[in-house]
Amino acid sequence: MTAILLTIHLFIYVVHSKECYWNSCPYVLFGSKTLYDDVRGDIRDVPEIEGCKPMSLWVLARHGARNPSVYDCNNMMDVMKLKDEILNSHAAGQGEMCAQDIDNIRSWKWNDTMNKQFNNLINTGFTEVKQLGARIKKKFSHFLEHVDYYVIRPTNKQRTIESAKAFNLGLGHNLSFNITNSLKIDEVLASYETCPRHTRDVFNGPRMPMEMNRYYLTDEFKQLQRNMKKRAGLKELSINNIEGIHDLCRYYRTLFNTNKSPWCALFTTQELHLMEYSKDLQHYYRNSYGNSINPKLGGPVLKDLYQSFNNTVKSSRTSFTAYFSHDSLLDMVYSALGLFRDYPELTGFKRIVDRKWRISLSTPFAANFIAVLHRCNTQEDHTYRVQFFINEIETHLCDTRTCSWNEFDDKFKQFLNSTLDFCIIK
Ligand SMILES: *[C@@H]1O[C@H](CO)[C@@H](O)[C@H](O)[C@H]1NC(C)=O
Ligand SMILES: *[C@@H]1O[C@H](CO)[C@@H](O)[C@H](O)[C@H]1NC(C)=O
Ligand SMILES: *[C@@H]1O[C@H](CO)[C@@H](O)[C@H](O)[C@H]1NC(C)=O
Ligand SMILES: *[C@@H]1O[C@H](CO)[C@@H](O)[C@H](O)[C@H]1NC(C)=O
Ligand SMILES: *[C@@H]1O[C@H](CO)[C@@H](O)[C@H](O)[C@H]1NC(C)=O
């Protein structure tokens, strides 16, 4: 009897608890617009390396969460015109949205900061980078208080300049580092901007949009388009609209502490996986393995890393470097190092579910690649070892937790040859 009652109870419960966006545990991976806290590790929790102390710390970070670009805003504003149609369809008993999600879309309003300050760092992004600075301070406080040489330099964009300030603030009052002015032409931190060949052949080239369009024509994506149209009760829904809804979802969730945006309700979790793949494809072709120019543009900044550590090894002078740049450069660095590489290559023909190239995890807001040079004492001598972190997760480029100096030398010396000569279009 109890069993039967229980069964009935469960049945009633299931029937009445429709899974909606507002009452679910939402999916949080949004490509390069993923919030850092949703994917990061914590450098403070990584165990010390016995018998070693840091001699050189080198940080390459992306700016924190920012406002959308002009292009993204235009897509988003086009989608806002669909808002009334979605509400009216629901009122007429069409579509498949939950009542609460519809209410939340109804009361949602465009936030003027988005299109008044295109691309600028937002408060959430400032906090992301400040907290990164604070954790680095906690982990390396003794080292940072006695550093012989340092440089903190952003690219010449508001979002990286503000991020450098946020980071400095996170390092705390006791450590007053000066920020170096950004350079108008920065061949190290914005190598791709100084490379006409990249601009012509890759950034504005045909391959990236071709692969993305190819993916938009797959059965699974066409199914997404049909399902979303039906769910929202819309007559038409273009690919640009879908991208616009995705942007309204991912940008608006970064504006407030709730980390939610009612526009996310138009997607199922499975559909957000497909959107994520389309963004991974975009970055793969624009910044990474999809074109052989991309890894070369990661070279100059890795040359800087090599030289910085070599100087410390040769001179015993400690050094601290913190650079603030963009997702493009981080993606280029990953591809120069052969990280997150897939075989077969990513293409638009088919989504590779178990891929390594996932920018939600590797290049979220405030993404960072950190290298630490340690001096380790043995009984009669000392040796050097290099440790790496990606987004505060220890990353093993060699067989053990760290690379020996020789292993580091083998992997990084090649970047001394880096040149942007190939960038010139004759
Ligand atoms: C717009 O967003 C900012 C957060 O970035 C918030 O402080 C402000 O109150 C919002 N404005 C409106 C009208 O919601
Ligand atoms: C600042 O430095 C002083 C003296 O070196 C030290 O006692 C204090 O704990 C430091 N404060 C912070 C916040 O690191
Ligand atoms: C920062 O710059 C000021 C002014 O140039 C200088 O006096 C100060 O020593 C610098 N601080 C550090 C830590 O380099
Ligand atoms: C390593 O550093 C030493 C001393 O600063 C310098 O003379 C040498 O050229 C550097 N080697 C490379 C490969 O940069
Ligand atoms: C650098 O380039 C020269 C000439 O192209 C080549 O001989 C040398 O092996 C390269 N060095 C490294 C470390 O890749």
Side-chain angles (χ1 to χ4, degrees), residues 144-204:
L144 288 170
E145 278 158 22
H146 301 94
V147 72
D148 293 320
Y149 169 82
Y150 76 88
V151 58
I152 299 179
R153 187 170 96 236
T155 64
N156 65 0
K157 303 289 192 295
Q158 186 270 2
R159 57 192 182 279
T160 46
I161 293 168
E162 290 304 307
S163 293
K165 290 180 192 164
F167 185 78
N168 228 358
L169 215 55
L171 290 179
H173 303 296
N174 274 11
L175 296 168
S176 58
F177 293 111
N178 291 330
I179 299 172
T180 306
N181 287 338
S182 52
L183 307 172
K184 218 175 220 142
I185 295 173
D186 194 330
E187 295 192 337
V188 175
L189 299 186
S191 51
Y192 51 93
E193 274 187 358
T194 68
C195 188
R197 185 174 298 277
H198 183 266
T199 306
R200 186 191 66 183
D201 296 352
V202 185
F203 198 82
N204 294 323

Side-chain angles (χ1 to χ4, degrees), residues 413-417:
K413 205 167 196 163
Q414 56 173 313
F415 301 117
L416 286 173
N417 268 352

Side-chain angles (χ1 to χ4, degrees), residues 359-373:
I359 53 173
S360 302
L361 306 181
S362 61
T363 329
F365 286 130
N368 55 84
F369 175 76
I370 297 180
V372 189
L373 175 71

Side-chain angles (χ1 to χ4, degrees), residues 61-66 121 129 159-160 163 325-327 364-367:
R62 184 191 180 204
H63 56 79
R66 65 159 168 91
L121 194 74
V129 184
R159 57 192 182 279
T160 46
S163 293
S325 180
H326 303 267
D327 55 356
F365 286 130

